[in-house]
Amino acid sequence: MKNKLWAIPLGILVSLAAYESSAKAALLTSYQFNGKGNWSIDGVGSNNTPVGILDAFVPAGSTVEAAFLYSSLYSLGRPTATPTVVLDGITYDASNFVALGDFNPSSSLTLGAYRADVTSQVASKVGTGGGTFNFTVDSENPNSNIDGEILAVVYSNPLEQERTIAFLDGFSSSGGDTTTVNLSQPLDITTPGFEALLSLGIGFGFQGGSQFSTVDVDGRRLTSSAGGQDDGVSSNGGLITVGGLGDSTANPSDPFANPTSSSSDDELYNLAVGNSTNPAPFLTSGATSFDIDTENPSLDDNLFFLGINITAEANINAPIDVPEPSTIIGLLAIGFGGSLLKKKVHKA
């Protein structure tokens, strides 16, 4: 498989994201990478100033391909206000953030999230070095209404395996959404080093209570306890979690158990293995696609981020044959609401 980068051109990305988020509640592909590389994901939330530290692990010999800063908000009115976040001394505000849409789980509450491209900042700090890099969230405004931030990084590295890495964002419908992963050839999970990771980012989720989201993979229950404040604090303005650095793929052991605490589920999952109720992997050899179904039965969490990291060539929520840029522009002109990607070739 050639080393390839899949991404929506910036101008199209903004207009397409705005159109899709207003058209329906969904998690839609905003970035996709195919090639030798990996990811780093971390989250933090609090009502303090500074808010806390976001880490990025990038090994030596890597090139930062993309980095995105997400901010999750709640509001007692409508709509949510575009955040201002200062990350390591650099300010991101309405001129940088893309609104991912918002929704009202109740008549008095609005939940929403925003995304900013921070690739140049992260790449500049990483430089030619390698290791764990700390990014301080110096401040956020309105602090008491921002549950926290996520830093999602993709890097290429010639020593890594060939992967498909995709970031989907928006706001997942509480009643259920489906993400489809289409594979370029039948899957072989017996390949040495095969990996299939899933990461969820959820805002305004408090656990130790009755709030939770469920995830099914091809109709099989993966978790009934996604959500909580793993990366934040147990109060409004700090309720955030994302599967990433320092998290375990071993929980939950019982996919049908509801959460008893925020540590019941780390929101990071390995689809290449099974669980205590069924040791068979969630993915099967020979599959040419698989579905990830998300739902928030408690109707009060914002599942705004989904990351996929699989050692196979794939395309997310779109056919494996990707239209050319002229086709994308034509489809946009007639109001096509799907998730379309432009294929680019880059040298590792």
Side-chain angles (χ1 to χ4, degrees):
M1 179 169 65
K2 294 181 179 179
N3 197 22
K4 294 174 285 187
L5 178 68
W6 307 61
I8 304 171
L10 182 58
I12 294 178
L13 172 63
V14 175
S15 59
L16 181 59
Y19 171 80
E20 290 178 320
S21 65
S22 64
K24 62 177 182 177
L27 295 172
L28 301 162
T29 308
S30 59
Y31 176 82
Q32 184 168 315
F33 168 88
N34 290 68
K36 292 186 175 182
N38 215 324
W39 70 10
S40 173
I41 302 174
D42 197 24
V44 68
S46 80
N47 288 313
N48 300 326
T49 302
V51 176
I53 302 292
L54 288 167
D55 289 332
F57 175 73
V58 182
S62 301
T63 298
V64 174
E65 298 290 347
F68 301 98
L69 179 69
Y70 290 89
S71 190
S72 171
L73 291 81
Y74 78 95
S75 174
L76 298 180
R78 179 176 175 85
T80 56
T82 304
T84 297
V85 179
V86 181
L87 180 68
D88 246 19
I90 297 180
T91 299
Y92 296 92
D93 56 21
S95 64
N96 311 107
F97 277 110
V98 174
L100 303 179
D102 54 49
F103 71 106
N104 296 88
S106 71
S107 59
S108 60
L109 178 67
T110 301
L111 304 178
Y114 295 77
R115 178 191 66 242
D117 190 325
V118 297
T119 305
S120 60
Q121 180 181 7
V122 173
S124 176
K125 186 161 188 173
V126 170
T128 59
T132 299
F133 299 85
N134 307 127
F135 293 84
T136 301
V137 180
D138 301 306
S139 65
E140 55 185 16
N141 184 45
N143 194 350
S144 60
N145 289 90
I146 297 179
D147 277 314
E149 280 72 41
I150 291 172
L151 180 61
V153 180
V154 174
Y155 58 85
S156 58
N157 189 303
L159 300 181
E160 268 287 353
Q161 297 187 77
E162 298 275 359
R163 300 175 185 270
T164 296
I165 299 173
F167 295 154
L168 291 80
D169 50 43
F171 59 107
S172 179
S173 170
S174 293
D177 274 328
T178 298
T179 296
T180 300
V181 179
N182 296 302
L183 303 160
S184 64
Q185 56 187 353
L187 198 62
D188 183 4
I189 67 171
T190 65
T191 302
F194 175 75
E195 290 183 345
L197 299 178
L198 170 66
S199 169
L200 299 180
I202 301 174
F204 206 68
F206 175 76
Q207 289 184 344
S210 59
Q211 293 179 240
F212 64 95
S213 292
T214 65
V215 182
D216 294 335
V217 177
D218 279 344
R220 177 179 164 188
R221 181 56 52 90
L222 175 66
T223 180
S224 300
S225 57
Q229 63 276 25
D230 306 35
D231 295 300
V233 295
S234 299
S235 61
N236 291 350
L239 303 176
I240 193 166
T241 184
V242 66
L245 295 175
D247 288 328
S248 171
T249 60
N251 57 34
S253 58
D254 181 355
F256 293 98
N258 292 143
T260 57
S261 71
S262 64
S263 59
S264 297
D265 187 329
D266 280 4
E267 291 69 53
L268 184 67
Y269 314 95
N270 184 2
L271 306 184
V273 299
N275 53 32
S276 62
T277 60
N278 183 351
F282 278 85
L283 301 184
T284 58
S285 290
T288 55
S289 69
F290 60 91
D291 289 337
I292 301 169
D293 296 311
T294 59
E295 186 175 352
N296 176 230
S298 59
L299 305 178
D300 48 10
D301 290 359
N302 185 18
L303 200 167
F304 65 90
F305 173 86
L306 186 152
I308 297 169
N309 184 338
I310 184 171
T311 52
E313 186 173 36
N315 202 14
I316 315 302
N317 283 340
I320 199 68
D321 293 322
V322 181
E324 291 300 315
S326 58
T327 305
I328 293 175
I329 294 170
L331 288 170
L332 286 172
I334 61 173
F336 187 90
S339 179
L340 298 176
L341 303 173
K342 175 184 175 184
K343 185 169 79 173
K344 296 181 179 179
V345 179
H346 71 86
K347 296 180 181 180

